[in-house]
């Protein structure tokens, strides 16, 4: 008898669209529709700019170095905020997961703070840190902090009891119990939290640059386009943001799969 997964995989392999092109079907279709709308003048609104004009703006931004400078500023803030938020999130998540006392003392305050909208912190952060990079980095750190704490906590509390009993039988020390049992067993959940933190931090980068407009960044490029009514510059910024977000998500997914390769294959891979 042929296994179910093998038959499913065979049907997918016979699909007329090659696997590496399947994710591009919708973007290509949208670009063609956009080109037709501009070419056939479906709308006289100045908001509808031709793809060719956006492409010319992209070339100008690359040639002048504006794109590199803006992206470098945004990614630098994103990386600093991500490192701070993930590091603090791991410490708090491990403490929450391992200590019932810590959870009872800090947990109610943490669960209250996580209900506050992320953007509600911006007025307070702007008062504390001003409108420069310090406020933006603090904002990004908050965006990365909460998903890491929650996923780390859930991962540690989900460690099977059988493994804990086995560690007791083997007389693991506290350090061995943490490094050889708890953290490896919780690794899938922890890495999922880090993955979410990466996504949230990039989204928060654009939000911070929109609301804390001091400085340079890809968000500021889009603001300049909006204020000067240069829709080609705005659309170019949106495309760059989407492509960078896609690249970051792809890299995080690849890294997560590599770090968790020891788990073997999952049903989702068939």
């Amino acid at each position: 008898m042929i296994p179910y997964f093998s038959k499913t995989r065979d049907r997918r392999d016979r699909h007329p669209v090659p696997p590496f092109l399947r994710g591009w079907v919708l973007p290509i279709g949208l670009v063609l529709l956009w080109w037709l709308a501009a070419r056939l003048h479906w709308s006289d609104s100045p908001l509808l700019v031709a793809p060719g004009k956006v492409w010319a703006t992209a070339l100008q931004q690359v040639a002048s170095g504006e794109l590199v400078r803006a992206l470098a500023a945004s990614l630098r803030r994103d990386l600093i905020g991500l490192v701070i938020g993930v590091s603090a999130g791991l410490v708090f998540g491990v403490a929450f997961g391992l200590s019932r006392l810590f959870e009872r003392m800090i947990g109610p305050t943490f669960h209250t703070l996580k209900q506050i909208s992320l953007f509600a912190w911006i007025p307070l952060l702007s008062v504390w840190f001003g409108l420069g990079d310090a406020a933006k980095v603090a904002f990004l750190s908050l965006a990365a902090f909460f998903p890491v704490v929650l996923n780390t906590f859930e991962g540690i509390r989900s460690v099977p009891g059988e493994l804990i009993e086995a560690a007791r039988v083997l007389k693991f020390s506290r350090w061995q119990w943490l490094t050889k049992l708890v953290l490896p067993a919780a690794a899938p959940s922890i890495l999922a939290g880090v993955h979410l933190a990466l996504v949230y931090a990039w989204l928060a980068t654009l939000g911070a640059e929109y609301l804390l407009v001091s400085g340079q960044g890809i968000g500021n490029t889009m603001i300049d386009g909006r204020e000067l009514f240069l829709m080609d510059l705005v659309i170019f910024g949106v495309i760059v943001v989407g492509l960078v977000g896609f690249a970051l998500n792809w890299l995080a997914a690849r890294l997560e799969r590599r770090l968790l390769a020891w788990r073997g294959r999952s049903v989702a891979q068939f």
Side-chain angles (χ1 to χ4, degrees):
M1 183 176 64
I2 300 175
Y4 169 77
F5 291 135
S6 298
K7 292 192 289 186
T8 303
R9 184 167 51 187
D10 290 343
R11 286 198 296 268
R12 291 177 63 186
D13 290 343
R14 292 196 299 268
H15 199 280
V17 181
F20 67 92
L21 287 179
R22 291 171 194 171
W24 292 97
V25 172
L26 182 58
I28 291 172
L30 291 175
V31 170
L32 287 175
L33 183 63
W34 174 21
W35 179 81
L36 282 173
R39 180 80 174 179
L40 301 178
H41 302 288
W42 290 354
S43 173
D44 294 329
S45 171
L47 300 178
L48 180 64
V49 295
K53 190 174 183 181
V54 176
W55 177 250
T57 299
L59 294 178
Q60 186 272 328
Q61 287 284 310
V62 172
S64 65
E66 288 294 328
L67 175 61
V68 174
R69 287 191 289 272
L71 268 183
S74 294
L75 290 174
R76 180 178 58 82
R77 295 187 197 105
D78 183 51
L79 179 61
I80 296 173
L82 183 69
V83 169
I84 295 173
V86 168
S87 301
L90 287 173
V91 171
F92 270 79
V94 170
F96 272 129
L98 296 179
S99 173
R100 295 282 183 181
L101 177 62
F102 189 88
E103 182 188 2
R104 293 191 188 100
M105 293 177 60
I106 309 297
T109 303
F110 171 80
H111 292 299
T112 300
L113 292 176
K114 78 177 183 181
Q115 302 301 325
I116 300 174
S117 171
L118 188 61
F119 288 95
W121 290 98
I122 284 186
L124 189 59
L125 293 175
S126 64
V127 172
W128 285 349
F129 300 104
L131 299 177
D133 280 0
K136 295 174 185 177
V137 169
F139 182 67
L140 302 183
S141 300
L142 279 176
F145 174 74
F146 290 106
V148 174
V149 173
L150 293 172
N151 279 270
T152 302
F153 170 78
E154 291 297 331
I156 290 175
R157 288 296 171 88
S158 299
V159 175
E162 296 84 356
L163 294 180
I164 296 175
E165 290 299 324
R168 288 174 179 165
V169 171
L170 294 172
K171 298 182 179 179
F172 276 13
S173 66
R174 295 289 293 179
W175 179 249
Q176 289 176 319
W177 183 73
L178 177 64
T179 58
K180 296 183 181 298
L181 170 64
V182 174
L183 292 182
S189 182
I190 293 173
L191 290 175
V194 174
H195 192 159
L196 286 175
L198 179 65
V199 174
Y200 292 167
W202 177 243
L203 296 176
T205 299
L206 279 301
E209 291 175 357
Y210 256 88
L211 298 173
L212 301 167
V213 295
S214 175
Q216 198 172 34
I218 191 66
N220 299 95
T221 299
M222 296 167 66
I223 293 173
D224 292 341
R226 182 195 63 188
E227 292 179 347
L228 298 173
F229 208 70
L230 299 173
M231 292 308 300
D232 52 321
L233 188 58
V234 174
I235 294 174
F236 166 71
V238 170
I239 293 172
V240 169
V241 169
L243 290 176
V244 172
F246 172 81
L248 291 175
N249 185 68
W250 181 81
L251 287 172
R254 295 274 296 185
L255 181 61
E256 188 176 351
R257 283 198 298 269
R258 182 175 292 274
L259 292 175
L260 297 178
W262 54 271
R263 294 190 307 163
R265 304 180 72 186
S266 67
V267 172
Q269 293 176 278
F270 290 93

